Amino acid sequence: MAAPNITLRTVRTRMRMSQDDFARALQAAGHRVGEPNDANKRLVQRWEAGVIAAPRPLYARALEVVTGLPITLLGFAAMPDGGAVDDPHGGNSLTSPMGDLATPTPRSAAVHGSHEGVWLSRYQYHSSSRGESFAGQHFVVVLQHGDRLTVRSLPGSAASSLSLDLTVDGAVVTGTWVEQTDPAGHYRGARYHGAIQLLVEPTGRRMVGKWVGFGKDMDVNTGPWELTFQDASTSKTTLDRYNTPPG
């Protein structure tokens, strides 16, 4: 009997998505990265039930974009002799070669324009209610698909959660950010969002720029933001090591 994929189910429910919502998000992610897919509720059910032990690369990339997590951390099993792969229409399972399950070897952030890995995110903002400036810091996981970067904070690195969806155009990185603030903090779990533009330094190990977003009184604010490269690996061991507040 197949073992249910509790990890994937937990990730989905924490995103407050139904199986239908999740499937639609996977389809949208596929279109964004130029790899349309036929994800549907039935496919998500088969993943979560463990009927399909590993997704095809097409779906693996969409899953990474939607969740912001490496496919290796989404509860799918690596099968040495092959196993069931995706059939979005619920047909017979196929046999997948081991190559379909492999994840790319981590590369330096400066090689071939790859930015994947763990980065330290740091931005500054002024709190009008407190009359002071503060810095927000998170360790984040950066996943790359073509010219798209999906950035998600590691939950143990800060009380708030941070996500960025970015597009790379040479040395210019442009996109949007969303932060869900600490429910027990000054902003009491408020959700803020805005735009961001960064310039990648020639080394590929630092991005520097500015954010823009609305404030508590619906005024438009801006401030500096930088990402500093830490590690090219996105393995569970590496993420566990960075799943802690920055020193």
Side-chain angles (χ1 to χ4, degrees), residues 8 45 53 72 94 98 135-136 148 156 166 174 185 195 197 199 227 235 245:
L8 181 63
Q45 289 174 334
T72 52
L94 305 175
M98 189 62 182
R148 302 278 183 161
L166 308 171
T174 305
Q197 190 160 59
L199 295 176
L227 295 172
S235 69

Side-chain angles (χ1 to χ4, degrees), residues 20-226:
D20 272 328
D21 293 336
F22 197 63
R24 284 192 289 268
L26 291 171
Q27 288 191 21
H31 284 291
R32 288 203 305 275
V33 300
E35 295 183 329
N37 62 66
D38 296 320
N40 56 35
K41 180 179 179 179
R42 175 62 175 158
L43 178 60
V44 176
Q45 289 174 334
R46 287 164 67 82
W47 284 338
E48 294 185 355
V51 175
I52 296 174
R56 285 186 288 139
L58 176 75
Y59 291 105
R61 288 187 282 273
L63 282 161
E64 290 187 335
V65 171
V66 171
T67 65
L69 293 171
I71 194 66
T72 52
L73 298 186
L74 292 177
F76 292 104
M79 298 164 292
D81 297 318
V85 298
D86 318 293
D87 176 4
H89 304 293
N92 294 329
S93 298
L94 305 175
T95 298
S96 170
M98 189 62 182
D100 282 352
L101 306 180
T103 54
T105 302
R107 298 173 291 177
S108 165
V111 177
H112 304 306
S114 173
H115 303 292
E116 285 207 358
V118 178
W119 295 65
L120 173 62
S121 167
R122 189 177 190 275
Y123 64 86
Q124 296 180 38
Y125 66 99
H126 181 76
S127 172
S128 57
S129 59
R130 290 174 286 181
E132 296 181 60
S133 293
F134 296 88
Q137 294 192 110
H138 303 74
F139 283 123
V140 298
V141 181
V142 177
L143 301 176
Q144 182 164 359
H145 300 280
D147 63 351
R148 302 278 183 161
L149 302 182
T150 301
V151 184
R152 300 292 184 268
S153 61
L154 291 171
S157 68
S160 65
S161 61
L162 179 69
S163 64
L164 298 90
D165 291 290
L166 308 171
T167 300
V168 181
D169 184 2
V172 180
V173 178
T174 305
T176 58
W177 61 269
V178 177
E179 183 170 10
Q180 189 75 41
T181 61
D182 178 7
H186 179 76
Y187 296 105
R188 299 183 180 181
R191 180 179 182 272
Y192 291 98
H193 55 87
I196 182 173
Q197 190 160 59
L198 305 163
L199 295 176
V200 184
E201 292 187 348
T203 62
R205 292 178 174 265
R206 189 164 174 259
M207 305 182 197
V208 181
K210 289 192 173 184
W211 61 269
V212 62
F214 66 91
K216 191 173 182 180
D217 299 319
M218 296 305 293
D219 49 346
V220 176
N221 299 318
T222 188
W225 200 319
E226 66 178 311

Side-chain angles (χ1 to χ4, degrees), residues 230-247:
Q230 305 293 308
D231 198 306
S233 173
T234 56
S235 69
K236 185 178 186 303
T237 299
T238 301
L239 298 191
D240 285 345
R241 187 167 73 248
Y242 285 98
N243 194 26
T244 185

